[in-house]
């Protein structure tokens, strides 16, 4: 992020309607110069609507969007849009060569041929697609097409790059390679960007800050680690993959150590909360370890539960184990661990987790 | 067969002999249909584009009207244009009835719905996000429209060919509003009707061949442009 932290875009009290049923509301959101703001949310949350509104391709019902402190409705629409560049989910390349595709936005802006060529060569090289320069866009693979689409937008050197789930349709290895390249290029060129995705890994990987949009409302904005480790409410926690969200009551609280009663179990957490307070006890499945016996070293894992394995679900390299502890506890372990523990349905196991792995959300 | 063979020989003779009347009829046919096609393109292309890209209440209803317009019987168009241009009709004072201008007007009415309908179809087969992508890359509304036309150029050329084809071959409207007046409003189709009614089949066949040749040459030119575009897409 740029050292001066100057907002390039400020959104205030924005309200956008699409059709009869969908509304997007954003009270306040800043995009700081040089940062990559990752906006995450499920499909239909309003992420793309926000990008189209920022691009002035959708008109809000109310609210203000300021670009460099100027209300965008007071600036010439075309002049404003030419500060931006939009990359959509599909590459949407034009029926011509890769070179001419990348030249599209430059031609719209009336740049000289020499300037066009200089910039295009640079971005062909930066995105490792020099060899595709004269190839028709119709003959590209999905990954190549999305690289061309990125080059076509980044060659414009936009003040604000808008990326609307550009890797959604790509296979995993292609996506990983492109994400790495995009992160490197955004950092190298210090491009300010809004990166919309429904994928948390991508948001973590690319975003210097993360904003969560759920049900058409901006729910939380912050540094990636703080958003993912401390979601503001159970709905955000649920979306962010905190699969164990258990209702509990704070029993004691002293010097940062909190005891919470969850379904009759006294569990320890770290933080501040008044005794008697109703809370959600949130725990990520990957933060829990499983043991066959209760002889768990208590030096770090302060909490221990026992229960019966009720289901085992294959999740690729990992197995999701559901343990019935009087309430369902979801745990993720590797196949190797499962083999060592000889995990099977109906088996009694002991689950342990650190107090610091717990995140409490007021109910 | 002999009649047909005589017709072909007559056609060849009429073409190579440079018969003044035949050349005048052919030139008028080309001029009337060419001007009508050009004007229907000027009206139909922007209107079809606007309709394809805008969403408004009653759009579907309007589309069905346009689709109906694509099948307007030329004689019905001829009837209504005649009524409007008739001496005591609403535009009778303009004195256009039985003039090439009246024929152009009738042919515009026939060709324009075809150009609009096929322009809508051409643009609607594009990805609906393509226009958003163009605007998101900094295109002005006009630049985005030209880019969309470029993306659908093959189908737009087909619209042009269909529009031209529909009017160069029509006879009902031209006969009714033009009157088939010698040296003034006689075109190839109306001349064919006249010669057939006179029993001069060889001349009618000859004129028919000239009309086919004319339609072929114009469409050949457009097809060459269309196919060159297709080929360049493959080779680029």
């Amino acid at each position: 992020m740029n050292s001066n932290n100057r907002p390039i875009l400020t959104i205030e009290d924005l309200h956008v309607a699409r059709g009869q049923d969908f509304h997007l509301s954003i009270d306040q959101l800043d995009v700081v110069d040089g940062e990559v703001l990752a906006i995450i949310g499920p499909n239909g949350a309003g992420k793309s609507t926000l990008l189209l509104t920022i691009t002035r391709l959708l008109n809000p019902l109310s609210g203000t969007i300021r670009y460099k402190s100027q209300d965008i409705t007071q600036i010439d629409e075309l002049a404003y849009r030419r500060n931006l560049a939009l990359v959509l989910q599909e590459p949407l390349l034009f029926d011509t060569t890769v070179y001419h595709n990348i030249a599209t936005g430059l031609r719209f802006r009336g740049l000289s041929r020499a300037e066009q060529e200089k910039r295009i060569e640079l971005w062909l090289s930066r995105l490792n697609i020099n060899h595709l320069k004269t190839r028709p866009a119709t003959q590209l693979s999905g990954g190549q097409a999305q690289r061309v689409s990125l080059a076509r937008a980044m060659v414009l050197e936009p003040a604000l790059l808008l990326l609307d789930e550009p890797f959604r349709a790509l296979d995993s290895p292609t996506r990983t390679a492109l994400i790495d390249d995009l992160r490197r290029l955004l950092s190298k060129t210090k491009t300010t960007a809004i990166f919309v995705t429904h994928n948390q890994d991508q948001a973590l990987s690319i975003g210097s800050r993360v904003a969560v949009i759920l049900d058409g409302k901006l729910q939380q904005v912050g540094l990636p680690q703080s958003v993912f480790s401390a979601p503001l409410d159970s709905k955000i926690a649920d979306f962010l993959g905190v699969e164990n969200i258990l209702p509990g009551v704070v029993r004691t609280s002293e010097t940062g150590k909190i005891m919470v009663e969850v379904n009759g179990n006294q569990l320890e957490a770290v933080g501040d909360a008044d005794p008697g307070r109703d809370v959600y006890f949130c725990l990520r499945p990957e933060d829990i370890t499983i043991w066959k016996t209760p002889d768990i070293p208590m030096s770090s894992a302060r909490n221990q539960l026992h229960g019966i394995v009720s289901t085992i679900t294959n999740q690729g390299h990992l197995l999701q184990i559901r343990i019935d502890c009087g309430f369902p506890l979801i745990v993720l372990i590797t196949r190797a661990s499962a083999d060592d523990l000889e995990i099977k349905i109906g088996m009694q196991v002991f689950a342990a987790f650190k107090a610091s792995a717990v995140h409490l959300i007021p109910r | 067969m002999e009649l047909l063979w005589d017709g072909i020989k007559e056609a060849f003779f009429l073409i190579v002999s440079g018969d003044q009347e035949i050349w005048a009829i052919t030139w008028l046919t080309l001029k009337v249909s060419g001007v009508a096609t050009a004007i229907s393109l000027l009206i139909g292309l922007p209107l079809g584009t606007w309709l394809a890209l805008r969403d408004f209440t009653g759009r579907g209803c309007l589309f069905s009207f346009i689709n109906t317009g694509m099948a307007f019987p030329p004689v019905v168009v001829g009837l209504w244009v005649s009524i409007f241009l008739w001496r005591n009709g609403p535009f009778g004072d303009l004195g256009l009835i039985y003039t090439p201008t009246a024929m152009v007007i009738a042919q515009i009415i026939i060709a324009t719905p075809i150009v609009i309908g096929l322009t809508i179809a051409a643009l609607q087969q594009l990805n609906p996000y393509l226009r958003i992508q163009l605007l998101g890359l900094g295109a002005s509304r006009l630049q985005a429209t030209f880019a969309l036309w470029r993306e659908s150029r093959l189908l737009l050329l087909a619209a042009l060919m269909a529009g031209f084809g529909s009017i160069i071959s029509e006879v009902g409207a031209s006969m009714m509003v033009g009157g088939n007046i010698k040296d003034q409003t006689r075109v190839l189709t109306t001349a064919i009707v006249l010669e057939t009614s006179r029993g001069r089949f060889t001349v009618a066949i000859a004129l028919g061949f000239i009309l086919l040749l004319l339609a072929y040459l114009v469409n050949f030119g457009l097809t060459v442009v269309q196919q060159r575009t297709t080929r360049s897409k493959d080779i680029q």
Side-chain angles (χ1 to χ4, degrees), chain A residues 77 81-82 85-86 90 92 94-95 108-109 134 136 152, chain B residues 127 130 133-139 141 143 150-151 233 236:
Chain A
E77 185 186 333
R81 262 196 288 111
R82 285 186 175 171
L86 179 66
E90 287 182 60
L92 292 172
F94 309 118
D95 188 6
F108 290 152
R109 287 159 175 78
T134 55
R152 184 176 60 180
Chain B
N127 188 312
L130 196 58
Q133 179 63 84
L134 286 159
L135 296 171
L137 288 170
R141 308 260 164 196
Q143 285 172 328
R150 189 182 181 283
E151 287 301 298
K233 274 168 59 180
Q236 273 175 342

PDB file of all heavy atoms in Angstrom, chain A residues 77 81-82 85-86 90 92 94-95 108-109 134 136 152, chain B residues 127 130 133-139 141 143 150-151 233 236:
ATOM      1  N   GLU A  77     -18.453  11.763 -17.948  1.00  0.00           N
ATOM      2  CA  GLU A  77     -18.530  10.310 -17.764  1.00  0.00           C
ATOM      3  C   GLU A  77     -17.392   9.580 -18.477  1.00  0.00           C
ATOM      4  O   GLU A  77     -16.746   8.696 -17.898  1.00  0.00           O
ATOM      5  CB  GLU A  77     -19.889   9.808 -18.275  1.00  0.00           C
ATOM      6  CG  GLU A  77     -20.090   8.325 -18.011  1.00  0.00           C
ATOM      7  CD  GLU A  77     -21.357   7.773 -18.643  1.00  0.00           C
ATOM      8  OE1 GLU A  77     -22.320   8.536 -18.839  1.00  0.00           O
ATOM      9  OE2 GLU A  77     -21.362   6.570 -18.937  1.00  0.00           O
ATOM     10  N   ARG A  81     -14.416   7.398 -16.854  1.00  0.00           N
ATOM     11  CA  ARG A  81     -14.254   5.964 -17.134  1.00  0.00           C
ATOM     12  C   ARG A  81     -12.876   5.651 -17.696  1.00  0.00           C
ATOM     13  O   ARG A  81     -12.384   4.529 -17.554  1.00  0.00           O
ATOM     14  CB  ARG A  81     -15.345   5.480 -18.089  1.00  0.00           C
ATOM     15  CG  ARG A  81     -16.490   4.816 -17.353  1.00  0.00           C
ATOM     16  CD  ARG A  81     -17.393   3.985 -18.235  1.00  0.00           C
ATOM     17  NE  ARG A  81     -18.216   4.780 -19.096  1.00  0.00           N
ATOM     18  CZ  ARG A  81     -18.067   4.841 -20.408  1.00  0.00           C
ATOM     19  NH1 ARG A  81     -17.125   4.135 -20.999  1.00  0.00           N
ATOM     20  NH2 ARG A  81     -18.841   5.593 -21.133  1.00  0.00           N
ATOM     21  N   ARG A  82     -12.266   6.635 -18.337  1.00  0.00           N
ATOM     22  CA  ARG A  82     -10.936   6.376 -18.914  1.00  0.00           C
ATOM     23  C   ARG A  82      -9.834   6.365 -17.857  1.00  0.00           C
ATOM     24  O   ARG A  82      -8.676   6.121 -18.171  1.00  0.00           O
ATOM     25  CB  ARG A  82     -10.649   7.367 -20.045  1.00  0.00           C
ATOM     26  CG  ARG A  82     -11.455   6.984 -21.262  1.00  0.00           C
ATOM     27  CD  ARG A  82     -11.164   7.794 -22.469  1.00  0.00           C
ATOM     28  NE  ARG A  82     -11.922   7.239 -23.602  1.00  0.00           N
ATOM     29  CZ  ARG A  82     -12.023   7.811 -24.779  1.00  0.00           C
ATOM     30  NH1 ARG A  82     -11.419   8.958 -25.021  1.00  0.00           N
ATOM     31  NH2 ARG A  82     -12.728   7.241 -25.745  1.00  0.00           N
ATOM     32  N   ALA A  85     -10.151   0.615 -15.672  1.00  0.00           N
ATOM     33  CA  ALA A  85     -10.136  -0.482 -16.654  1.00  0.00           C
ATOM     34  C   ALA A  85     -10.813  -1.665 -15.996  1.00  0.00           C
ATOM     35  O   ALA A  85     -10.575  -1.958 -14.825  1.00  0.00           O
ATOM     36  CB  ALA A  85      -8.711  -0.830 -17.058  1.00  0.00           C
ATOM     37  N   LEU A  86     -11.675  -2.301 -16.763  1.00  0.00           N
ATOM     38  CA  LEU A  86     -12.510  -3.366 -16.213  1.00  0.00           C
ATOM     39  C   LEU A  86     -12.138  -4.712 -16.830  1.00  0.00           C
ATOM     40  O   LEU A  86     -11.993  -4.827 -18.040  1.00  0.00           O
ATOM     41  CB  LEU A  86     -13.980  -3.028 -16.529  1.00  0.00           C
ATOM     42  CG  LEU A  86     -15.059  -3.999 -16.088  1.00  0.00           C
ATOM     43  CD1 LEU A  86     -15.158  -4.070 -14.565  1.00  0.00           C
ATOM     44  CD2 LEU A  86     -16.415  -3.579 -16.662  1.00  0.00           C
ATOM     45  N   GLU A  90     -15.504 -13.476 -17.858  1.00  0.00           N
ATOM     46  CA  GLU A  90     -15.109 -14.056 -19.141  1.00  0.00           C
ATOM     47  C   GLU A  90     -14.132 -13.102 -19.810  1.00  0.00           C
ATOM     48  O   GLU A  90     -14.303 -11.886 -19.691  1.00  0.00           O
ATOM     49  CB  GLU A  90     -16.328 -14.219 -20.039  1.00  0.00           C
ATOM     50  CG  GLU A  90     -17.241 -15.334 -19.623  1.00  0.00           C
ATOM     51  CD  GLU A  90     -18.403 -15.472 -20.591  1.00  0.00           C
ATOM     52  OE1 GLU A  90     -18.156 -15.716 -21.782  1.00  0.00           O
ATOM     53  OE2 GLU A  90     -19.540 -15.305 -20.153  1.00  0.00           O
ATOM     54  N   LEU A  92     -13.874 -12.209 -22.862  1.00  0.00           N
ATOM     55  CA  LEU A  92     -14.589 -11.393 -23.847  1.00  0.00           C
ATOM     56  C   LEU A  92     -13.623 -10.705 -24.820  1.00  0.00           C
ATOM     57  O   LEU A  92     -13.635  -9.486 -24.958  1.00  0.00           O
ATOM     58  CB  LEU A  92     -15.465 -10.348 -23.148  1.00  0.00           C
ATOM     59  CG  LEU A  92     -16.662 -10.900 -22.376  1.00  0.00           C
ATOM     60  CD1 LEU A  92     -17.337  -9.808 -21.581  1.00  0.00           C
ATOM     61  CD2 LEU A  92     -17.658 -11.548 -23.326  1.00  0.00           C
ATOM     62  N   PHE A  94     -12.056  -9.722 -28.478  1.00  0.00           N
ATOM     63  CA  PHE A  94     -12.682  -9.353 -29.740  1.00  0.00           C
ATOM     64  C   PHE A  94     -12.146 -10.233 -30.857  1.00  0.00           C
ATOM     65  O   PHE A  94     -11.065 -10.817 -30.735  1.00  0.00           O
ATOM     66  CB  PHE A  94     -12.447  -7.871 -30.023  1.00  0.00           C
ATOM     67  CG  PHE A  94     -12.834  -7.014 -28.849  1.00  0.00           C
ATOM     68  CD1 PHE A  94     -11.896  -6.240 -28.186  1.00  0.00           C
ATOM     69  CD2 PHE A  94     -14.134  -7.030 -28.383  1.00  0.00           C
ATOM     70  CE1 PHE A  94     -12.248  -5.487 -27.081  1.00  0.00           C
ATOM     71  CE2 PHE A  94     -14.496  -6.271 -27.273  1.00  0.00           C
ATOM     72  CZ  PHE A  94     -13.551  -5.504 -26.622  1.00  0.00           C
ATOM     73  N   ASP A  95     -12.932 -10.253 -31.927  1.00  0.00           N
ATOM     74  CA  ASP A  95     -12.660 -11.165 -33.023  1.00  0.00           C
ATOM     75  C   ASP A  95     -11.504 -10.638 -33.885  1.00  0.00           C
ATOM     76  O   ASP A  95     -11.694 -10.235 -35.027  1.00  0.00           O
ATOM     77  CB  ASP A  95     -13.950 -11.300 -33.840  1.00  0.00           C
ATOM     78  CG  ASP A  95     -13.841 -12.374 -34.876  1.00  0.00           C
ATOM     79  OD1 ASP A  95     -12.815 -13.076 -34.885  1.00  0.00           O
ATOM     80  OD2 ASP A  95     -14.765 -12.500 -35.681  1.00  0.00           O
ATOM     81  N   PHE A 108      -9.107   3.515 -28.373  1.00  0.00           N
ATOM     82  CA  PHE A 108     -10.235   4.344 -27.915  1.00  0.00           C
ATOM     83  C   PHE A 108      -9.729   5.690 -27.395  1.00  0.00           C
ATOM     84  O   PHE A 108     -10.382   6.705 -27.520  1.00  0.00           O
ATOM     85  CB  PHE A 108     -11.016   3.649 -26.794  1.00  0.00           C
ATOM     86  CG  PHE A 108     -11.808   2.452 -27.246  1.00  0.00           C
ATOM     87  CD1 PHE A 108     -12.068   1.407 -26.357  1.00  0.00           C
ATOM     88  CD2 PHE A 108     -12.302   2.353 -28.541  1.00  0.00           C
ATOM     89  CE1 PHE A 108     -12.806   0.300 -26.753  1.00  0.00           C
ATOM     90  CE2 PHE A 108     -13.030   1.249 -28.948  1.00  0.00           C
ATOM     91  CZ  PHE A 108     -13.280   0.222 -28.051  1.00  0.00           C
ATOM     92  N   ARG A 109      -8.550   5.662 -26.778  1.00  0.00           N
ATOM     93  CA  ARG A 109      -7.994   6.883 -26.181  1.00  0.00           C
ATOM     94  C   ARG A 109      -7.175   7.704 -27.180  1.00  0.00           C
ATOM     95  O   ARG A 109      -6.631   8.740 -26.817  1.00  0.00           O
ATOM     96  CB  ARG A 109      -7.120   6.512 -24.970  1.00  0.00           C
ATOM     97  CG  ARG A 109      -7.934   6.075 -23.762  1.00  0.00           C
ATOM     98  CD  ARG A 109      -7.108   5.253 -22.793  1.00  0.00           C
ATOM     99  NE  ARG A 109      -7.858   4.925 -21.580  1.00  0.00           N
ATOM    100  CZ  ARG A 109      -8.783   3.977 -21.502  1.00  0.00           C
ATOM    101  NH1 ARG A 109      -9.096   3.270 -22.569  1.00  0.00           N
ATOM    102  NH2 ARG A 109      -9.414   3.737 -20.362  1.00  0.00           N
ATOM    103  N   THR A 134       0.434 -12.538 -32.608  1.00  0.00           N
ATOM    104  CA  THR A 134      -0.280 -12.490 -33.894  1.00  0.00           C
ATOM    105  C   THR A 134      -1.380 -13.543 -33.980  1.00  0.00           C
ATOM    106  O   THR A 134      -2.018 -13.691 -35.019  1.00  0.00           O
ATOM    107  CB  THR A 134       0.697 -12.722 -35.061  1.00  0.00           C
ATOM    108  OG1 THR A 134       1.373 -13.960 -34.830  1.00  0.00           O
ATOM    109  CG2 THR A 134       1.705 -11.592 -35.167  1.00  0.00           C
ATOM    110  N   PRO A 136      -4.973 -15.352 -33.567  1.00  0.00           N
ATOM    111  CA  PRO A 136      -6.361 -14.898 -33.405  1.00  0.00           C
ATOM    112  C   PRO A 136      -6.864 -15.225 -31.995  1.00  0.00           C
ATOM    113  O   PRO A 136      -6.551 -16.297 -31.467  1.00  0.00           O
ATOM    114  CB  PRO A 136      -7.145 -15.713 -34.435  1.00  0.00           C
ATOM    115  CG  PRO A 136      -6.141 -16.309 -35.338  1.00  0.00           C
ATOM    116  CD  PRO A 136      -4.852 -16.401 -34.589  1.00  0.00           C
ATOM    117  N   ARG A 152      -4.917  -6.399 -21.760  1.00  0.00           N
ATOM    118  CA  ARG A 152      -5.740  -5.384 -22.427  1.00  0.00           C
ATOM    119  C   ARG A 152      -6.173  -4.294 -21.437  1.00  0.00           C
ATOM    120  O   ARG A 152      -6.312  -3.135 -21.809  1.00  0.00           O
ATOM    121  CB  ARG A 152      -6.973  -6.085 -23.027  1.00  0.00           C
ATOM    122  CG  ARG A 152      -7.872  -5.208 -23.829  1.00  0.00           C
ATOM    123  CD  ARG A 152      -8.995  -6.009 -24.456  1.00  0.00           C
ATOM    124  NE  ARG A 152      -9.825  -6.673 -23.461  1.00  0.00           N
ATOM    125  CZ  ARG A 152     -10.870  -7.442 -23.745  1.00  0.00           C
ATOM    126  NH1 ARG A 152     -11.208  -7.647 -24.995  1.00  0.00           N
ATOM    127  NH2 ARG A 152     -11.575  -8.004 -22.794  1.00  0.00           N
TER     128      ARG A 152
ATOM    129  N   ASN B 127     -22.235 -11.715 -26.968  1.00  0.00           N
ATOM    130  CA  ASN B 127     -22.293 -11.815 -25.511  1.00  0.00           C
ATOM    131  C   ASN B 127     -22.816 -10.489 -24.933  1.00  0.00           C
ATOM    132  O   ASN B 127     -22.303  -9.422 -25.261  1.00  0.00           O
ATOM    133  CB  ASN B 127     -20.889 -12.103 -24.966  1.00  0.00           C
ATOM    134  CG  ASN B 127     -20.904 -12.409 -23.487  1.00  0.00           C
ATOM    135  OD1 ASN B 127     -21.503 -11.693 -22.695  1.00  0.00           O
ATOM    136  ND2 ASN B 127     -20.254 -13.484 -23.111  1.00  0.00           N
ATOM    137  N   LEU B 130     -20.411  -7.903 -23.678  1.00  0.00           N
ATOM    138  CA  LEU B 130     -19.385  -7.345 -24.559  1.00  0.00           C
ATOM    139  C   LEU B 130     -19.424  -5.810 -24.550  1.00  0.00           C
ATOM    140  O   LEU B 130     -18.381  -5.146 -24.528  1.00  0.00           O
ATOM    141  CB  LEU B 130     -19.585  -7.872 -25.985  1.00  0.00           C
ATOM    142  CG  LEU B 130     -18.423  -7.705 -26.937  1.00  0.00           C
ATOM    143  CD1 LEU B 130     -17.180  -8.393 -26.400  1.00  0.00           C
ATOM    144  CD2 LEU B 130     -18.756  -8.265 -28.310  1.00  0.00           C
ATOM    145  N   GLN B 133     -17.952  -4.585 -21.435  1.00  0.00           N
ATOM    146  CA  GLN B 133     -16.493  -4.702 -21.503  1.00  0.00           C
ATOM    147  C   GLN B 133     -15.890  -3.544 -22.298  1.00  0.00           C
ATOM    148  O   GLN B 133     -14.886  -2.955 -21.898  1.00  0.00           O
ATOM    149  CB  GLN B 133     -16.123  -6.048 -22.136  1.00  0.00           C
ATOM    150  CG  GLN B 133     -14.637  -6.277 -22.295  1.00  0.00           C
ATOM    151  CD  GLN B 133     -13.897  -6.325 -20.967  1.00  0.00           C
ATOM    152  OE1 GLN B 133     -13.834  -7.342 -20.323  1.00  0.00           O
ATOM    153  NE2 GLN B 133     -13.352  -5.198 -20.523  1.00  0.00           N
ATOM    154  N   LEU B 134     -16.532  -3.211 -23.427  1.00  0.00           N
ATOM    155  CA  LEU B 134     -16.022  -2.106 -24.259  1.00  0.00           C
ATOM    156  C   LEU B 134     -16.056  -0.789 -23.494  1.00  0.00           C
ATOM    157  O   LEU B 134     -15.085  -0.031 -23.487  1.00  0.00           O
ATOM    158  CB  LEU B 134     -16.864  -1.996 -25.533  1.00  0.00           C
ATOM    159  CG  LEU B 134     -16.602  -3.087 -26.581  1.00  0.00           C
ATOM    160  CD1 LEU B 134     -17.778  -3.217 -27.534  1.00  0.00           C
ATOM    161  CD2 LEU B 134     -15.328  -2.781 -27.342  1.00  0.00           C
ATOM    162  N   LEU B 135     -17.181  -0.528 -22.829  1.00  0.00           N
ATOM    163  CA  LEU B 135     -17.291   0.717 -22.061  1.00  0.00           C
ATOM    164  C   LEU B 135     -16.302   0.707 -20.897  1.00  0.00           C
ATOM    165  O   LEU B 135     -15.718   1.731 -20.550  1.00  0.00           O
ATOM    166  CB  LEU B 135     -18.726   0.907 -21.557  1.00  0.00           C
ATOM    167  CG  LEU B 135     -19.789   1.085 -22.653  1.00  0.00           C
ATOM    168  CD1 LEU B 135     -21.195   1.034 -22.068  1.00  0.00           C
ATOM    169  CD2 LEU B 135     -19.582   2.384 -23.410  1.00  0.00           C
ATOM    170  N   GLY B 136     -16.090  -0.481 -20.330  1.00  0.00           N
ATOM    171  CA  GLY B 136     -15.151  -0.621 -19.222  1.00  0.00           C
ATOM    172  C   GLY B 136     -13.700  -0.471 -19.647  1.00  0.00           C
ATOM    173  O   GLY B 136     -12.806  -0.354 -18.814  1.00  0.00           O
ATOM    174  N   LEU B 137     -13.464  -0.494 -20.956  1.00  0.00           N
ATOM    175  CA  LEU B 137     -12.107  -0.245 -21.461  1.00  0.00           C
ATOM    176  C   LEU B 137     -11.964   1.190 -21.948  1.00  0.00           C
ATOM    177  O   LEU B 137     -10.966   1.553 -22.562  1.00  0.00           O
ATOM    178  CB  LEU B 137     -11.782  -1.223 -22.604  1.00  0.00           C
ATOM    179  CG  LEU B 137     -11.553  -2.669 -22.188  1.00  0.00           C
ATOM    180  CD1 LEU B 137     -11.483  -3.580 -23.404  1.00  0.00           C
ATOM    181  CD2 LEU B 137     -10.275  -2.814 -21.359  1.00  0.00           C
ATOM    182  N   GLY B 138     -12.994   1.986 -21.715  1.00  0.00           N
ATOM    183  CA  GLY B 138     -12.895   3.414 -22.039  1.00  0.00           C
ATOM    184  C   GLY B 138     -13.465   3.796 -23.391  1.00  0.00           C
ATOM    185  O   GLY B 138     -13.162   4.878 -23.900  1.00  0.00           O
ATOM    186  N   ALA B 139     -14.320   2.929 -23.964  1.00  0.00           N
ATOM    187  CA  ALA B 139     -14.945   3.301 -25.244  1.00  0.00           C
ATOM    188  C   ALA B 139     -16.034   4.331 -25.005  1.00  0.00           C
ATOM    189  O   ALA B 139     -16.742   4.263 -23.995  1.00  0.00           O
ATOM    190  CB  ALA B 139     -15.554   2.063 -25.898  1.00  0.00           C
ATOM    191  N   ARG B 141     -19.720   5.820 -26.177  1.00  0.00           N
ATOM    192  CA  ARG B 141     -20.901   5.042 -26.614  1.00  0.00           C
ATOM    193  C   ARG B 141     -20.804   4.749 -28.117  1.00  0.00           C
ATOM    194  O   ARG B 141     -21.155   3.657 -28.559  1.00  0.00           O
ATOM    195  CB  ARG B 141     -22.192   5.802 -26.310  1.00  0.00           C
ATOM    196  CG  ARG B 141     -22.303   6.272 -24.880  1.00  0.00           C
ATOM    197  CD  ARG B 141     -23.162   5.387 -24.019  1.00  0.00           C
ATOM    198  NE  ARG B 141     -22.902   5.687 -22.602  1.00  0.00           N
ATOM    199  CZ  ARG B 141     -23.246   4.921 -21.594  1.00  0.00           C
ATOM    200  NH1 ARG B 141     -23.838   3.779 -21.812  1.00  0.00           N
ATOM    201  NH2 ARG B 141     -22.992   5.265 -20.359  1.00  0.00           N
ATOM    202  N   GLN B 143     -18.001   4.645 -29.999  1.00  0.00           N
ATOM    203  CA  GLN B 143     -16.918   3.680 -30.250  1.00  0.00           C
ATOM    204  C   GLN B 143     -17.380   2.263 -29.917  1.00  0.00           C
ATOM    205  O   GLN B 143     -17.062   1.316 -30.639  1.00  0.00           O
ATOM    206  CB  GLN B 143     -15.697   4.036 -29.401  1.00  0.00           C
ATOM    207  CG  GLN B 143     -14.914   5.240 -29.914  1.00  0.00           C
ATOM    208  CD  GLN B 143     -13.820   5.673 -28.944  1.00  0.00           C
ATOM    209  OE1 GLN B 143     -13.970   5.534 -27.724  1.00  0.00           O
ATOM    210  NE2 GLN B 143     -12.737   6.206 -29.478  1.00  0.00           N
ATOM    211  N   ARG B 150     -18.596  -4.212 -35.656  1.00  0.00           N
ATOM    212  CA  ARG B 150     -17.453  -4.937 -36.212  1.00  0.00           C
ATOM    213  C   ARG B 150     -17.516  -6.418 -35.789  1.00  0.00           C
ATOM    214  O   ARG B 150     -17.248  -7.308 -36.588  1.00  0.00           O
ATOM    215  CB  ARG B 150     -16.151  -4.300 -35.717  1.00  0.00           C
ATOM    216  CG  ARG B 150     -14.932  -4.827 -36.406  1.00  0.00           C
ATOM    217  CD  ARG B 150     -13.637  -4.241 -35.897  1.00  0.00           C
ATOM    218  NE  ARG B 150     -12.521  -4.804 -36.646  1.00  0.00           N
ATOM    219  CZ  ARG B 150     -12.038  -6.016 -36.439  1.00  0.00           C
ATOM    220  NH1 ARG B 150     -12.558  -6.790 -35.518  1.00  0.00           N
ATOM    221  NH2 ARG B 150     -11.039  -6.466 -37.178  1.00  0.00           N
ATOM    222  N   GLU B 151     -17.883  -6.642 -34.525  1.00  0.00           N
ATOM    223  CA  GLU B 151     -17.954  -8.015 -34.026  1.00  0.00           C
ATOM    224  C   GLU B 151     -19.047  -8.820 -34.730  1.00  0.00           C
ATOM    225  O   GLU B 151     -18.953 -10.032 -34.832  1.00  0.00           O
ATOM    226  CB  GLU B 151     -18.212  -8.014 -32.514  1.00  0.00           C
ATOM    227  CG  GLU B 151     -17.028  -7.595 -31.687  1.00  0.00           C
ATOM    228  CD  GLU B 151     -15.815  -8.490 -31.899  1.00  0.00           C
ATOM    229  OE1 GLU B 151     -15.912  -9.686 -31.606  1.00  0.00           O
ATOM    230  OE2 GLU B 151     -14.781  -7.995 -32.382  1.00  0.00           O
ATOM    231  N   LYS B 233     -10.385 -13.942 -40.462  1.00  0.00           N
ATOM    232  CA  LYS B 233     -10.528 -14.363 -39.061  1.00  0.00           C
ATOM    233  C   LYS B 233      -9.772 -15.657 -38.819  1.00  0.00           C
ATOM    234  O   LYS B 233      -9.187 -15.877 -37.785  1.00  0.00           O
ATOM    235  CB  LYS B 233     -12.011 -14.603 -38.756  1.00  0.00           C
ATOM    236  CG  LYS B 233     -12.732 -13.359 -38.343  1.00  0.00           C
ATOM    237  CD  LYS B 233     -14.211 -13.578 -38.328  1.00  0.00           C
ATOM    238  CE  LYS B 233     -14.622 -14.686 -37.388  1.00  0.00           C
ATOM    239  NZ  LYS B 233     -16.063 -14.901 -37.374  1.00  0.00           N
ATOM    240  N   GLN B 236      -5.595 -14.826 -39.430  1.00  0.00           N
ATOM    241  CA  GLN B 236      -4.903 -13.856 -38.574  1.00  0.00           C
ATOM    242  C   GLN B 236      -4.099 -14.503 -37.469  1.00  0.00           C
ATOM    243  O   GLN B 236      -4.540 -15.451 -36.862  1.00  0.00           O
ATOM    244  CB  GLN B 236      -5.925 -12.914 -37.930  1.00  0.00           C
ATOM    245  CG  GLN B 236      -6.243 -11.735 -38.801  1.00  0.00           C
ATOM    246  CD  GLN B 236      -7.342 -10.880 -38.188  1.00  0.00           C
ATOM    247  OE1 GLN B 236      -8.077 -11.307 -37.319  1.00  0.00           O
ATOM    248  NE2 GLN B 236      -7.444  -9.663 -38.640  1.00  0.00           N
TER     249      GLN B 236
END
